[in-house]
Amino acid sequence: MSRLLPKGELGVLSRRNFLIASTGAGLAFGFSALVEAAMDPAVPGGAPAAKAGPQFEPTLWFAIDGDGIVTVNIIRAEMGQHVGTALARILADELDVAWDKVRIVHVDTDPKWGLMVTGGSWSVWQTFPIFSQAGAAGRIALVEAGAKLLNVSPAGGTARGGIVHVGGKSISYGDIVKRGGVARTFTPEELAKLPIKPAGERKLIGKPGKALDIVAKTNGTAVYGIDAKVPGMVFARPKLPPTRHGAKVLSVDDGAAKAIKGYLRCLVIEDPSDTVPGWVLVIAQSYPAALRASEKVKVKWTAGPGATVSEKDLQDHAASLIAKPDGGALLENKTADTAPAFKAAKSVLEQTYTAATVLHFQLEPLNALAFEKDGVMEIHTGNQWQSLILPTLAKALARPENHIVMRTYMLGGGFGRRLNGDYAVPAALAAKALGQPVKLILTREDDVRFDSVRSPSVQTVRMAFDGAGAILAHEHHAAAGWPTLANAPALMPKGKNGVAYDPFAISGADHWYEVGAHKVRAINNDLANETFRPGWLRSVGPGWTNWAGESFIDEAAHHLKTDPVALRLKLLTGAGANAGSDASTKGGAKRQAEVVRRAAEAAGWGQALPKDTGLGLATSFGQERDMPTWVACVARVHVDRASGVVTVQKLTVVTDAGTIVDPDGARAQTEGATLWGLSMALHEGTEFVNGEVKDLNLDTYTPLRISDTPELDIQFVDSIEVPVGLGEPATTVVAPAVANAIFRAVGVRLRHIPITPADVLRALSAKT
């Protein structure tokens, strides 16, 4: 995801200008009002406390009131990962305040917050330096102010638990705020040089602690987007066209719907942004009425491109694109010409791997409430990337972005679906057309039909060997629909050959192994992008690139007649380009080798196992080379030769994510990512039929069930290095680990996910 934010381009917020945005010309310390917040997830109903009394608000990111309560402003979306809790712990630790004095608010899209996006597992990684510096600056300023109020020298002053101790006296943060007198500025340069606490002095980071939003989530008082309401709103359910792109409405017949009590009208959406072409909204006084009426409304469309496309068409097209040697983009830091190495090789191994279309299926179906208030169009919804959809909303509504605001709500699951805020557009256009609030809710089937799915993919991987078993060259060619091309094409970098590419669709293939000449080619499946809107689904590209890459490493080990763990350790040298170049990548591939060793040892690699049972290992650096989360997974599986059913008995996952900020959240994130990876390995997958996904609900689309959940052994490497991401990396290692375990259990190689019992039976039959 970090590649989504090219430094210095498009006005997006890099780590440095994020800091500048938070400080401006320097921190002006003093009293000011608490920012208008959108949601406090820790209280019933989510309404932040009213402003009362003096506030000490040193930066955009936090304020302290006269009771010593610290309110931390969060720009990330809360979708179950307790992101506010993790980020607040960073700031509160440096500020040195007791955890029970900390509150969080998730803010709206006021431009002062800068870029708002939640994805890519980078919330903690990006925020850690900013919140550490903000907390440290606040602590220093409060110590100095406290000393002044106590009429003593600030020299030697300290802060502990929200109380300043100096010159043998003490005063609380709250009393300092109530008495005033805080006057301190820091330039950005001064902020950058502030000493941050040594790891050994941290009191909150890495320690057990209560998630600030857990009570409201578990007692039912938390407010999600689907709960949003305002007086006078009407409800809408869409009638969706036959294709995602290019459909046009020919006619609407609502004669039968007029008999439905509460039905008001149909609205053909005229969308200048071309986000939702061909959508018709059925408007009613209640959502049940809108549902019933929508079943009576008849709409005729002309379909756009892709109306007859099948999953096989998509996969065949991807394979044909890979077969063209000059197509696609070459990654900038890889080898352009590997031909000499392959020509000199004594043996060559080549395999092709495929992955099916995958749906998001977040629990809360898409929804948005829109209405105009005081000349501003308010959008009330849960969203992961507000800064992406705001320009689209501005184009659709023909008004400046500063006349639109998105209010923040909790998300009933995101997983990348709500990075694409397309569902806000029809709600806003309807509110504009009707001149009253419109609450749009998609049914589960509506949501799935136009999901921004994970594209099906095809990948061909090749490796060249000399006569002694050394690897001379490695090639990875990946073709899939590109989500960034569909949703944010301006953020695509150019490859070595000048061709722009989607970094999310190829990340993971730029691995940390030493393999000689290394060529990576990213290819857009243009038929996919014409047929649907590819989306970012949890782990995005590494969900398929690591499937191919780590399956292939096992096949290479088999080709070389060596142990697959031993081969990985041999290739993870940590030398040259794989040494790590900055604080986030410190240690490089040697840290990846360490998680491989630990996972293999913890899982009992090499032990004797029952018949048809095997261990398989896969490893990854997570999402991006510049923020690697080192992960290794060992899957223990049993294969039933009669039914083809693969039972995953245990998953052992070892992760080095640097400093672990919130241990409980880290474990939950990793467990969730691991099980999501297992779900996509064996259970999740659909197919396109006539331009639309085949499975529309959970009766036929069957993610991992609780009864299929294996024993989990989740371990973290103790570390004080830069904290990186945890939401996605574990997702990427499970599928190849399972496939590698199946091979070791029964000797058959599966190269398509999801791996079904039928696939296993076919492979077993072919073997015999």
Side-chain angles (χ1 to χ4, degrees):
M1 178 64 86
S2 58
R3 287 176 176 163
L4 190 61
L5 310 170
K7 296 176 176 63
E9 296 180 18
L10 305 172
V12 295
L13 212 55
S14 72
R15 296 175 71 183
R16 174 159 174 77
N17 59 31
F18 187 94
L19 173 61
I20 293 172
S22 74
T23 60
L27 285 177
F29 286 76
F31 296 124
S32 62
L34 181 67
V35 296
E36 182 179 356
M39 178 188 72
D40 179 352
V43 301
K51 303 169 185 174
Q55 305 284 323
F56 170 51
E57 187 183 0
T59 80
L60 279 174
W61 308 117
F62 75 97
I64 308 176
D65 68 11
D67 293 328
I69 300 297
V70 177
T71 301
V72 183
N73 299 317
I74 307 295
I75 63 171
R76 313 296 182 184
E78 172 51 45
M79 44 192 168
Q81 79 280 42
H82 306 301
V83 65
T85 291
L87 301 186
R89 288 163 77 91
I90 300 167
L91 195 147
D93 208 331
E94 281 296 335
L95 189 61
D96 212 316
V97 63
W99 187 237
D100 62 0
K101 292 283 190 180
V102 178
R103 309 286 184 268
I104 54 175
V105 290
H106 291 260
V107 300
D108 61 25
T109 57
D110 188 303
K112 66 188 176 187
W113 303 113
L115 182 78
M116 295 183 70
V117 56
T118 309
S121 302
W122 57 273
S123 290
V124 167
W125 178 65
Q126 275 213 329
T127 309
F128 193 91
I130 312 304
F131 274 20
S132 294
Q133 291 164 352
R139 171 170 44 82
I140 292 170
L142 285 160
V143 168
E144 292 177 356
K148 185 177 180 180
L149 290 170
L150 295 171
N151 198 27
V152 296
S153 168
T158 61
R160 295 192 296 274
I163 297 175
V164 171
H165 302 271
V166 59
K169 300 179 180 180
S170 63
I171 184 171
S172 72
Y173 285 178
D175 286 339
I176 294 172
V177 171
K178 283 188 285 191
R179 292 173 63 181
V182 185
R184 183 70 153 90
T185 60
F186 292 87
T187 65
E189 290 73 23
E190 288 173 328
L191 268 179
K193 295 178 181 176
L194 285 180
I196 304 302
K197 285 182 178 179
E201 295 181 13
R202 291 169 179 161
K203 301 170 183 175
L204 297 173
I205 291 174
K207 307 294 192 298
K210 184 182 71 175
L212 296 174
D213 54 8
I214 195 66
V215 173
K217 282 179 176 176
T218 52
N219 67 14
T221 59
V223 177
Y224 294 79
I226 204 165
D227 301 318
K229 58 184 178 183
V230 294
M233 69 182 185
V234 295
F235 294 83
R237 185 215 174 174
K239 296 285 289 187
L240 296 176
T243 57
R244 191 66 168 87
H245 304 301
K248 294 181 179 178
V249 177
L250 294 177
S251 66
V252 178
D253 178 1
D254 68 344
K258 292 177 180 176
I260 303 298
K261 185 179 180 180
Y263 168 70
L264 296 173
R265 58 172 292 183
C266 284
L267 186 65
V268 178
I269 296 298
E270 300 295 335
D271 177 13
S273 73
D274 203 32
T275 305
V276 287
W279 283 42
V280 176
L281 300 191
V282 180
I283 311 293
Q285 292 174 333
S286 69
Y287 190 60
L291 279 175
R292 289 194 294 270
S294 65
E295 300 300 328
K296 302 290 185 182
V297 172
K298 298 178 181 178
V299 182
K300 291 183 179 179
W301 290 275
T302 56
T308 62
V309 170
S310 69
E311 186 86 352
K312 186 176 185 304
D313 292 337
L314 294 165
Q315 299 277 15
D316 288 349
H317 189 63
S320 71
L321 293 170
I322 289 175
K324 299 176 181 176
D326 298 329
L330 300 177
L331 260 62
E332 184 66 36
N333 58 347
K334 299 302 176 188
T335 310
D337 186 8
T338 54
F342 276 91
K343 186 177 180 181
K346 295 297 182 184
S347 66
V348 172
L349 178 66
E350 177 177 319
Q351 299 293 357
T352 293
Y353 305 86
T354 56
T357 301
V358 178
L359 303 168
H360 286 85
F361 255 117
Q362 70 282 356
L363 286 176
E364 178 195 3
L366 298 177
N367 59 81
L369 166 63
F371 59 92
E372 185 163 355
K373 179 183 178 182
D374 300 329
V376 174
M377 181 64 75
E378 292 198 11
I379 313 291
H380 292 231
T381 188
N383 186 269
Q384 292 179 245
W385 194 355
Q386 298 91 331
S387 298
L388 176 65
I389 195 61
L390 277 171
T392 302
L393 284 164
K395 184 176 182 180
L397 295 169
R399 64 168 60 194
E401 280 186 48
N402 60 6
H403 287 206
I404 305 168
V405 64
M406 297 183 75
R407 303 296 186 193
T408 295
Y409 287 79
M410 280 207 265
L411 285 62
F415 318 122
R417 173 58 183 96
R418 286 183 170 90
L419 288 165
N420 177 11
D422 52 346
Y423 49 94
V425 174
L429 287 170
K432 177 183 179 182
L434 299 178
Q436 66 182 118
V438 174
K439 177 74 173 288
L440 170 75
I441 304 176
L442 277 64
T443 65
R444 176 71 66 200
E445 289 80 4
D446 296 336
D447 189 347
V448 171
R449 276 188 63 200
F450 275 15
D451 187 10
S452 292
V453 302
R454 187 183 83 171
S455 171
S457 61
V458 177
Q459 300 169 87
T460 295
V461 189
R462 306 175 70 220
M463 192 169 270
F465 309 88
D466 68 10
I471 297 172
L472 302 177
H474 186 201
E475 293 183 356
H476 192 141
H477 311 266
W482 283 359
T484 307
L485 176 62
N487 296 281
L491 300 183
M492 292 168 54
K494 288 186 177 179
K496 188 187 289 283
N497 58 349
V499 177
Y501 69 98
D502 183 346
F504 295 107
I506 195 62
S507 58
D510 49 350
H511 55 67
W512 292 74
Y513 290 121
E514 176 51 56
V515 289
H518 186 197
K519 181 177 184 178
V520 178
R521 188 162 60 115
I523 305 166
N524 172 43
N525 185 339
D526 54 312
L527 181 61
N529 282 64
E530 288 175 6
T531 304
F532 56 93
R533 178 175 283 198
W536 300 281
L537 185 140
R538 192 173 187 174
S539 82
V540 202
W544 62 77
T545 59
N546 211 47
W547 155 243
E550 282 299 294
S551 295
F552 186 82
I553 286 292
D554 249 51
E555 298 210 54
H558 184 69
H559 178 79
L560 294 172
K561 297 181 174 55
T562 189
D563 178 87
V565 171
L567 177 61
R568 286 178 172 87
L569 294 176
K570 179 182 177 182
L571 300 179
L572 291 169
T573 62
N578 297 317
S581 57
D582 59 18
S584 294
T585 61
K586 184 178 178 181
K590 290 184 178 178
R591 290 170 70 184
Q592 187 169 4
E594 181 60 21
V595 295
V596 169
R597 287 191 195 93
R598 293 193 186 201
E601 180 180 354
W605 190 264
Q607 66 181 307
L609 295 171
K611 184 182 178 184
D612 299 335
T613 301
L615 296 179
L617 185 141
T619 181
S620 169
F621 60 95
Q623 303 305 112
E624 304 291 343
R625 276 188 68 96
D626 57 0
M627 52 159 284
T629 300
W630 313 105
V631 184
C633 171
V634 176
R636 173 174 167 147
V637 310
H638 176 265
V639 180
D640 185 326
R641 290 179 182 266
S643 66
V645 171
V646 175
T647 301
V648 177
Q649 299 174 332
K650 184 176 181 180
L651 293 172
T652 302
V653 178
V654 178
T655 302
D656 178 355
T659 298
I660 301 298
V661 173
D662 180 8
D664 186 58
R667 179 167 295 277
Q669 290 259 49
T670 305
E671 288 176 349
T674 300
L675 295 178
W676 191 293
L678 176 57
S679 190
M680 289 194 289
L682 296 181
H683 303 279
E684 289 195 57
T686 187
E687 60 181 290
F688 274 85
V689 177
N690 292 325
E692 295 192 16
V693 293
K694 177 182 178 182
D695 300 290
L696 299 182
N697 217 322
L698 294 168
D699 55 340
T700 59
Y701 192 84
T702 54
L704 179 76
R705 265 44 174 177
I706 290 177
S707 60
D708 298 319
T709 302
E711 177 185 355
L712 297 179
D713 180 4
I714 306 291
Q715 302 181 24
F716 295 95
V717 174
D718 289 336
S719 174
I720 59 171
E721 301 299 342
V722 171
V724 286
L726 280 165
E728 296 164 287
T731 302
T732 70
V733 287
V734 180
V738 168
N740 295 339
I742 292 171
F743 179 78
R744 290 171 67 86
V746 294
V748 298
R749 176 62 62 178
L750 283 303
R751 301 189 180 91
H752 175 80
I753 50 174
I755 298 168
T756 67
D759 293 334
V760 175
L761 288 176
R762 277 193 291 271
L764 288 169
S765 176
K767 181 184 177 187
T768 58

